[in-house]
Amino acid sequence: LNMERGIFDGTCRLYSPYYHQMTMKVYSSSPEEKETAFNTAYEDVRSAFMYYMKNENSGRPFILAGFSQGAEMCFALMKEFFADNQYEDRFIETYAMGWCFTADDRARYPQLVPASGQYDTGTIVCFDAESEKTDSTMIIPAGVKTFSINPLNWKTDSTPADRSMNSGSCFTDYHARIVKERKALCGAYIDPVRGSLKVTDVTPEEYPAGIAVLGAGSYHIYDYQFFFRNLQQNVGQRTDVFLQKKR
């Protein structure tokens, strides 16, 4: 939470649940074991969301945000609670970085709408980063295509974004302190076949996957770090657009 909070806390007040998080081992376990673990984790997140809406929200606009397993939890909340548009007048956006969002998800749950540009609201910003040569990761296996948006040029096609469009990659510690920042570190484009976010100008040797199960060439753990300032700016932009619509 502290490593990501700087993207949001200049615009939003933050609420985050304590929950029984699934361990990485779960993702290589049987479907039955994963379902059991997921249900335990999600029940905590679900209860926290319901408590927040009842006791803390007070009718204010809100954003859902999560990374990796947190993104999976955001999707789960939207599947359960957003089907009847009960939050339409308050829901700004979901930032669900580090997850896979397929056409099957979209067809089954019409309330899940991928972001299509820089300023739309009520949609989902989703992507997962990888090297240009990577063709399979734990997040986006081979043969799967995901919806993505490029956080540098906010396009959903394969138009490349040069590294000069990167306002700042920020690497933080566990206390939310930025310990290193690099402007124009990397560019990016969306793979037209996989839908994944291909990152240019860096290498897996410089930025290793860090967790073996993710797969070689995965930049998953850098999803928000590589694009920190652009995401930070966009949170403010989408919030401003939403508030202007409400006036």
Side-chain angles (χ1 to χ4, degrees), residues 49 53 57 59-65 74 77-78 81-82 85-95 111-113 120-125 238-239 242-243 245-246:
F49 177 74
M53 295 307 301
N57 177 262
R60 292 192 303 269
F62 68 92
I63 287 170
L64 290 181
C74 287
L77 287 173
M78 293 191 71
F81 292 101
F82 285 59
N85 296 320
Q86 63 174 311
Y87 300 124
E88 186 174 21
D89 63 336
R90 286 180 276 172
F91 171 51
I92 300 174
E93 190 75 351
T94 291
Y95 288 83
Q111 67 269 36
L112 304 182
V113 181
D120 50 350
T121 59
T123 60
I124 302 171
V125 171
R238 288 185 198 268
T239 300
F242 183 89
L243 296 177
K245 290 177 184 177
K246 296 290 289 181

Side-chain angles (χ1 to χ4, degrees), residues 211-222:
I211 304 170
V213 71
L214 291 172
S218 171
Y219 292 140
H220 176 72
I221 64 174
Y222 312 105

Side-chain angles (χ1 to χ4, degrees), residues 88-109:
E88 186 174 21
D89 63 336
R90 286 180 276 172
F91 171 51
I92 300 174
E93 190 75 351
T94 291
Y95 288 83
M97 287 87 77
W99 203 244
C100 185
F101 179 8
T102 68
D104 286 345
D105 296 327
R106 177 80 177 95
R108 187 174 178 185
Y109 301 98

